[in-house]
Amino acid sequence: MAESDLAPAVVQLQGVRKAYNVGTDFESEVLHGIDLTVRRGEFCAVVGPSGSGKSTLLNIVGLLDRPTSGTVEVCGEPTTLLGDAALTRLRGHSIGFVFQYHHLITAFTALENVMMPLLGAAGRADDSMRIRAEALMASVGLTPWQDHLAGKLSGGQQQRVSVARALVMNPALLLADEPTGNLDTQSAEAVFSLLRSMNAEHGTTVLFVTHNAALAQRCDRTIEVVDGQVTGAHPAPP
Ligand code: ADP
Ligand code: MG
């Protein structure tokens, strides 16, 4: 297939290396030159042993951290020369995150948590934000709980709120770092199905870190990280 026939790259890494504690006795390189392209609409599992560098990779793709060397493009935008404010803006508009531990503000309601990124972008709440957040609460099946304090919800419900919050800006890219790692099978299934349906309906590109082989099988593609290198980036078996 010609390059021009392919969907545009949402993530493009070239030669990405990452060392921690640079310039100290504890300096250690954990990513050793990663090349990776993820195209619009792809739903990718990211797999590999603990400590192999999956979270480090996701943090770099998500512009939460910078590589020691190499280049990162997100949504076609080269990021190397961007300052922190520009990175924050690009991240806020283009990228949603879901982590293993939900990072909700437990003293706010579920709906207020979902509205938070909209507030960050616009400065103040308006009705359209509430309507959008309510629609997302409905799509994650939590309308009856939207006015409950986030801290009072179950783990699975809290993670579904996190997914709604990650999607409220309609990001091109959703990064999920072991979002089901802490959940029972049924809640894990609910969160996974939600990500799959967002991908199908909105073309959201998803990177989904998981240790769950059954869920990884149900992604379109598997990116395997071993010892700080991508050792395989292959389509899932049929
Ligand atoms: P994974 O998500 O695959 O378990 P990580 O990306 O979290 O792997 O970690 C990769 C390696 O980098 C590990 O050896 C880990 O101890 C190390 N590491 C991660 N974060 C830091 C940090 N902030 N400072 C120093 N070392 C780190
Ligand atoms: Mg990790």
Side-chain angles (χ1 to χ4, degrees):
M1 204 181 337
E3 175 76 16
S4 57
D5 295 338
L6 297 170
V10 172
V11 175
Q12 186 125 47
L13 304 187
Q14 275 176 339
V16 163
R17 293 177 177 271
K18 177 66 185 179
Y20 288 115
N21 303 313
V22 174
T24 75
D25 290 349
F26 304 103
E27 178 165 339
S28 66
E29 189 179 87
V30 301
L31 297 180
H32 308 298
I34 291 191
D35 299 321
L36 179 67
T37 301
V38 180
R39 295 187 182 278
R40 189 170 66 204
E42 286 195 290
F43 194 114
C44 304
V46 178
V47 304
S50 280
S52 59
K54 303 180 298 298
S55 293
T56 302
L57 178 64
L58 239 66
N59 288 344
I60 287 174
V61 169
L63 312 177
L64 292 170
D65 203 356
R66 293 181 190 263
T68 313
S69 62
T71 60
V72 178
E73 279 186 32
V74 172
C75 298
E77 181 144 12
T79 62
T80 309
L81 299 177
L82 297 182
D84 288 344
L87 283 183
T88 301
R89 204 171 320 118
L90 179 59
R91 189 168 60 233
H93 284 102
S94 309
I95 306 176
F97 293 91
V98 187
F99 299 97
Q100 179 168 9
Y101 299 99
H102 53 75
H103 298 295
L104 297 178
I105 302 177
T106 52
F108 285 8
T109 67
L111 190 70
E112 286 166 345
N113 272 277
V114 174
M115 288 173 70
M116 208 71 72
L118 296 168
L119 284 172
R124 55 192 289 273
D126 64 29
D127 286 348
S128 70
M129 293 180 189
R130 172 170 290 271
I131 289 165
R132 170 140 182 83
E134 284 179 348
L136 274 160
M137 290 304 282
S139 72
V140 301
L142 288 178
T143 299
W145 286 275
Q146 68 180 25
D147 295 320
H148 290 220
L149 293 181
K152 301 284 185 198
L153 303 181
S154 72
Q157 289 172 329
Q158 292 189 9
Q159 198 57 301
R160 278 147 66 200
V161 175
S162 306
V163 173
R165 183 184 55 181
L167 292 167
V168 77
M169 298 290 287
N170 198 19
L173 176 62
L174 186 82
L175 301 175
D177 196 351
E178 301 195 43
T180 63
N182 212 18
L183 301 180
D184 60 79
T185 310
Q186 202 181 345
S187 301
E189 177 63 36
V191 167
F192 184 79
S193 312
L194 188 58
L195 297 180
R196 277 257 58 151
S197 65
M198 292 297 162
N199 166 260
E201 284 164 30
H202 301 286
T204 315
T205 305
V206 180
L207 290 187
F208 175 74
V209 179
T210 186
H211 288 287
N212 182 322
L215 292 182
Q217 282 266 339
R218 290 160 60 194
C219 299
D220 303 329
R221 176 179 166 198
T222 299
I223 296 166
E224 191 175 16
V225 182
V226 176
D227 288 339
Q229 269 165 332
V230 170
T231 55
H234 39 78

